[in-house]
Amino acid sequence: MSVLSPLRGTVVSVEVTQGDLVRQGAPIAIVESMKMEHVVEAPQAGIVGRVAVGPGDTVAEGALLVHLDPVPAAADVVSEAAEIDLESVRPDLASLIERHAKGLDPARPDGAVRLGYRKELEAAEDPDALFEQMVAAAYEHGKAVNAASVFELDDVIDPADTRRWITAALPLEARRRERPWS
């Protein structure tokens, strides 16, 4: 069976070599056309008999990329077994996920408590219990801050208390305008 180029373009890469066993839908080559890369897939399982192109070759629409020989029945079973393990994580991706997780919310309060209350934790009789208590308080504080950023002023401050809060904040604002650098 011949695997043909679906369009005119430049071969960016050939993903198979002669003798490879490929399953149906496996990438055969990548062809670039109009600054877009198109993956050419195997229309059926087979053994790569001949690779007709290489990276950098210009191909016309319908040009031969690879010739696939039919797969014997036993090799078809191997083709099925060669499926990609969707549960596996590449080592470089695992490292990235680990680095990214350090900046996510679940990791942040713990680190902030460890750094911000280091002396208190060292002086405590039961540092583990105090640490857990402080982390819980940090989470509760975070919930309040997040709630305040979502709700309207009336949802956060009882309307009956609004006048008191505004009169307390006005002098602070006036002072800030007098000294904008602080």
Side-chain angles (χ1 to χ4, degrees), residues 121-143:
L121 290 170
E122 288 172 357
E125 288 180 25
D126 187 3
D128 293 334
L130 180 60
F131 175 76
E132 292 300 324
Q133 181 183 0
M134 290 178 158
V135 169
Y139 274 109
E140 288 304 314
H141 178 72
K143 289 178 187 175

Side-chain angles (χ1 to χ4, degrees), residues 21 34 39 52 68 70 167:
L21 178 64
M34 298 179 67
V39 178
L68 292 178
T167 55

Side-chain angles (χ1 to χ4, degrees), residues 44-60:
Q44 66 182 38
I47 298 173
V48 178
R50 181 174 144 232
V51 178
V53 295
D57 290 351
T58 301
V59 293

Side-chain angles (χ1 to χ4, degrees), residues 72-87:
D76 203 17
V77 174
V78 173
S79 170
E80 292 298 320
E83 289 289 327
I84 298 169
D85 180 14
L86 297 178
E87 299 299 319

Side-chain angles (χ1 to χ4, degrees), residues 16-22 28 46-51 66-69:
V16 295
T17 58
Q18 187 172 355
D20 284 355
L21 178 64
V22 295
I28 298 292
I47 298 173
V48 178
R50 181 174 144 232
V51 178
V66 171
H67 182 76
L68 292 178
D69 295 327

